[in-house]
Amino acid sequence: MYTDAMIRSSMQLSFLAHDFGLTSPFGFLKYFSSLMDVKSNLSCSNVRITEASFGGVEALVFESTAQEKSLKRGVVYLHGGGWTVGSAKMEAYYLQCMEMAKQLDAVVLSVEYRLAPDGRFPDQYNDVFQAAKHILTAEVLSRYSIDPKRVAVSGDSAGGNLAAAVAQQMAVDSSVPIKFKLQALIYPVLQGLDFNTPSYQQNAFTPILYRPLMARFWLEYLNGEQILLPTMLANIQSAQDQGPKIEAARAKIDWTRLLPVAFQKSYKPVSPLHGDPKLLEKLPGLLDVRAAPLLAESEVLKAVPPAYIMTCEHDVLRDDGLMYATRLQQAGVHVTLDHYEDGFHGCLSFGFGPLSFEVGRRSFGNYIQWLKDNL
């Protein structure tokens, strides 16, 4: 609750400053977030940490030094933060990647993609795709002694969104001979058409990620005006009269069909009859699979690697992950769904430091164990 209060306070100050024209909507939150960055290299006896650039995109590389002469697992990691805040140097992600490298005897490459407002969709996706494509070359894998048959892509929240999108593109890109073996998605955000799924309704004001905040992140990512927030929350973007493209997209996020009944509970769909025909012109990214991987065609999903998907009961994004798991399974992809009844958004990052939670330590342990067993 202390952390949540700090985040909410910084968000309110950020939005107030934006209203006065002093900063971007998340400017103050970004400053607050940067205060939690690691200020110096924390390399230790069994993990070497260096800075690198892949395809012109900066990254931190965490290399296990336990067995220098053997080929290692490789994990391309993408941090969360609503495409707007966060960093590979943020203490929680820094410690997480260092622990991943140590426990997996792996090389973890944590990518520093551009953040809004300096970068808008598809900049974040392009950065991650270029970095991943460069990493998946014989030259780079050899440089870091990474086994080309044991490379995964992983990320949490917005990073999970980018990981899923890149996994889809890499799987069908014939110019990339080396492919990801696995994808590991931690409470990913996968669509921006329905802000009234059961988990959005149930957890609208549950710490740490509130329903209005997630819609604000989408608007910032897609370069939309924050004044559109009430429209987004009312699902006007997916109204029934918005045309055949929206109709086709709604079928891919139909939670009455894709969610197990136990998660639907007594919630009802919110599907307005009439929408704004100009809204999708303002926010075309809502229908772009690079921004919304849940909207991918079944033929694409059939090609992606096996997936681990973590979801949390107390998280507005719970149903995004659950629906993606169903769609992948329907496409014939092996999926390990790891759901935490006591989990909340961002809980894995609370597995480290003085504010650690038992569910954070447990979820991180299970995530690591899955990677050990499958990568």
Side-chain angles (χ1 to χ4, degrees), residues 241-313:
D241 66 348
Q242 290 288 72
K245 288 185 178 180
I246 283 293
E247 184 178 355
R250 280 205 311 269
K252 297 169 185 172
I253 59 168
D254 181 2
W255 57 262
T256 64
R257 183 176 58 86
L258 295 171
L259 281 184
V261 175
F263 290 103
Q264 295 185 27
K265 301 179 181 178
S266 59
Y267 295 104
K268 304 299 181 184
V270 175
S271 182
L273 292 175
H274 304 292
D276 178 358
K278 295 184 179 180
L279 186 57
L280 290 175
E281 295 178 12
K282 299 175 183 176
L283 301 170
L286 287 173
L287 291 177
D288 194 315
V289 295
R290 296 172 299 172
L294 186 54
L295 302 183
E297 298 294 339
S298 296
E299 289 303 312
V300 173
L301 296 183
K302 288 178 181 179
V304 304
Y308 166 95
I309 301 177
M310 181 187 297
T311 58
C312 296
E313 184 62 24

Side-chain angles (χ1 to χ4, degrees), residues 65-84:
T65 58
Q67 301 182 53
E68 291 277 16
K69 295 184 179 181
S70 62
L71 289 179
K72 305 180 186 304
R73 301 177 176 96
V75 180
V76 177
Y77 194 83
L78 311 172
H79 68 79
W83 311 283
T84 304

Side-chain angles (χ1 to χ4, degrees), residues 133 158 374:
K133 194 171 183 179
N374 294 278

Side-chain angles (χ1 to χ4, degrees), residues 63-333:
E63 297 177 78
S64 168
T65 58
Q67 301 182 53
E68 291 277 16
K69 295 184 179 181
S70 62
L71 289 179
K72 305 180 186 304
R73 301 177 176 96
V75 180
V76 177
Y77 194 83
L78 311 172
H79 68 79
W83 311 283
T84 304
V85 298
S87 165
K89 294 180 180 178
M90 184 183 286
E91 184 178 29
Y93 289 119
Y94 196 97
L95 295 177
Q96 174 188 326
C97 289
M98 189 160 61
E99 195 64 23
M100 288 170 63
K102 181 167 63 175
Q103 292 197 32
L104 294 170
D105 187 24
V107 178
V108 180
L109 308 103
S110 186
V111 179
E112 289 279 29
Y113 54 88
R114 279 173 288 179
L115 300 174
D118 300 321
R120 309 279 193 175
F121 174 77
D123 292 340
Q124 288 86 335
Y125 169 85
N126 287 339
D127 283 356
V128 171
F129 179 73
Q130 288 303 319
K133 194 171 183 179
H134 193 77
I135 290 168
L136 290 178
T137 60
E139 177 190 354
V140 172
L141 297 178
S142 175
R143 183 193 313 162
Y144 292 103
S145 298
I146 298 173
D147 187 339
K149 297 180 180 179
R150 302 169 73 196
V151 187
V153 62
S154 183
D156 65 290
S157 194
N161 166 283
L162 294 168
V166 167
Q168 290 178 6
Q169 182 58 35
M170 286 292 190
V172 298
D173 190 334
S174 59
S175 69
V176 182
I178 301 174
K179 305 291 186 181
F180 286 122
K181 181 181 180 181
L182 303 171
Q183 57 180 320
L185 314 178
I186 303 169
Y187 29 79
V189 50
L190 299 167
Q191 58 85 28
L193 289 177
D194 190 352
F195 288 95
N196 290 277
T197 63
S199 61
Y200 266 114
Q201 295 186 53
Q202 172 184 296
N203 301 301
F205 299 102
T206 299
I208 287 175
L209 183 63
Y210 300 88
R211 178 170 167 262
L213 178 59
M214 190 62 245
R216 282 183 178 272
F217 277 135
W218 270 106
L219 288 169
E220 187 72 354
Y221 183 38
L222 299 181
N223 201 21
E225 298 178 4
Q226 292 291 322
I227 197 173
L228 294 173
L229 179 64
T231 300
M232 295 279 283
L233 294 177
N235 280 2
I236 299 301
Q237 65 275 16
S238 56
Q240 296 180 34
D241 66 348
Q242 290 288 72
K245 288 185 178 180
I246 283 293
E247 184 178 355
R250 280 205 311 269
K252 297 169 185 172
I253 59 168
D254 181 2
W255 57 262
T256 64
R257 183 176 58 86
L258 295 171
L259 281 184
V261 175
F263 290 103
Q264 295 185 27
K265 301 179 181 178
S266 59
Y267 295 104
K268 304 299 181 184
V270 175
S271 182
L273 292 175
H274 304 292
D276 178 358
K278 295 184 179 180
L279 186 57
L280 290 175
E281 295 178 12
K282 299 175 183 176
L283 301 170
L286 287 173
L287 291 177
D288 194 315
V289 295
R290 296 172 299 172
L294 186 54
L295 302 183
E297 298 294 339
S298 296
E299 289 303 312
V300 173
L301 296 183
K302 288 178 181 179
V304 304
Y308 166 95
I309 301 177
M310 181 187 297
T311 58
C312 296
E313 184 62 24
H314 307 288
D315 180 8
V316 293
L317 299 180
R318 180 199 69 189
D319 295 345
D320 281 25
L322 293 175
M323 288 191 288
Y324 196 51
T326 299
R327 290 209 62 213
L328 288 175
Q329 289 168 338
Q330 291 175 344
V333 177

